[in-house]
Amino acid sequence: MHQHPIGTTPHPGTRLDGSLFGPQNRCFACSPDHPTGLRLKFHVEGDEVVTNFTPARSHEGAPGVMHGGLVTTVADEVGVWALIALLGKFGFTGTMNTRFPRPVRVEREVQGRAKITSKSTRIVHAQIRMVQDGADCFTSTMSFILLNQKGAETMLGGPLPEGWKKYFR
Ligand SMILES: CCCCCCCCCCCCCC(=O)SCCNC(=O)CCNC(=O)[C@H](O)C(C)(C)COP(=O)(O)OP(=O)(O)OC[C@H]1O[C@@H](n2cnc3c(N)ncnc32)[C@H](O)[C@@H]1OP(=O)(O)O
């Protein structure tokens, strides 16, 4: 029987940048007005959520190479945005199983691509790739944990803004 891939249609009305969550969103990776953040934006291509980012010299670890932790930051973020865009849900990163097959060079665009591979009530698995000049530089299987409103409030340490509640179970 033909199986529809999970989450292939953008969740209706979803604006694919950090302004979606309003001024309380201070996310280093996606807040549009973070003073030193990455200010990532996202779009959907088929069953993938995609972000484009050009690392600067200030994102280096080894000379000429983007710091692996920052590569992971972009990859983690595009994974979460796959849940937001395709499922209308927010998940907290639970696990990452990652390889870095090639360096990401600074001052050249790298593309983050995330695809949802499985979904249950409480866990979503996604496959994330970071691609530069047509080659995979980072591949990871990540799990994201879906909390209910009470669990999210406990985790975040306070009540959720009204507009965030729908992103939880
Ligand atoms: C709307 C919000 C807007 C925000 C604006 C900014 C946007 C962008 C921000 C983007 C930021 C980027 C993203 C970030 O940076 S998210 C930040 C990085 N991640 C964290 O800080 C998570 C820290 N960990 C925790 O808080 C808890 O351990 C979590 C919440 C993960 C689970 O809590 P808890 O343990 O109490 O949950 P449960 O007992 O109900 O279990 C539920 C199910 O999950 C399974 N499980 C549990 N742990 C793991 C695990 N580690 N791997 C795999 N599976 C795990 C468990 O077996 C069970 O499965 P099942 O038995 O039902 O099958």
Side-chain angles (χ1 to χ4, degrees), residues 18 21 24-31 73 76-78 80-81 84 89-96 120-123 125 143-148 151 155-156 160-161 163-169:
F21 297 112
Q24 288 99 336
N25 178 10
R26 298 187 298 276
C27 177
F28 171 74
C30 77
S31 168
T73 300
D76 185 16
E77 191 74 14
V78 74
V80 172
W81 276 87
I84 296 166
K89 292 291 168 205
F90 185 87
F92 293 99
T93 315
T95 55
M96 295 183 181
S120 66
T121 320
R122 305 178 85 179
I123 305 181
H125 288 98
S143 66
F144 298 95
I145 314 303
L146 309 179
L147 296 182
N148 60 22
M155 201 263 197
L156 299 177
L160 293 174
W164 293 18
K165 292 181 180 168
K166 64 175 184 237
Y167 293 98
F168 296 92
R169 299 198 270 117

Side-chain angles (χ1 to χ4, degrees), residues 40-62:
L40 299 176
K41 294 180 177 178
F42 307 86
H43 66 274
V44 175
E45 288 182 18
D47 62 352
E48 291 183 302
V49 169
V50 178
T51 190
N52 296 313
F53 180 70
T54 301
R57 289 232 167 252
S58 58
H59 298 122
E60 268 180 359

Side-chain angles (χ1 to χ4, degrees), residues 79-146:
V80 172
W81 276 87
L83 274 66
I84 296 166
L86 302 175
L87 304 176
K89 292 291 168 205
F90 185 87
F92 293 99
T93 315
T95 55
M96 295 183 181
N97 185 358
T98 299
R99 288 185 70 145
F100 291 83
R102 287 166 200 266
V104 174
R105 306 283 177 197
V106 296
E107 298 182 319
R108 272 153 60 179
E109 187 175 74
V110 62
Q111 193 166 63
R113 308 188 73 94
K115 184 187 297 202
I116 292 169
T117 52
S118 73
K119 176 187 180 307
S120 66
T121 320
R122 305 178 85 179
I123 305 181
V124 176
H125 288 98
Q127 186 66 41
I128 324 292
R129 296 187 296 140
M130 297 289 289
V131 183
Q132 193 175 53
D133 298 330
D136 282 356
C137 300
F138 170 108
T139 58
S140 187
T141 304
M142 300 188 193
S143 66
F144 298 95
I145 314 303
L146 309 179

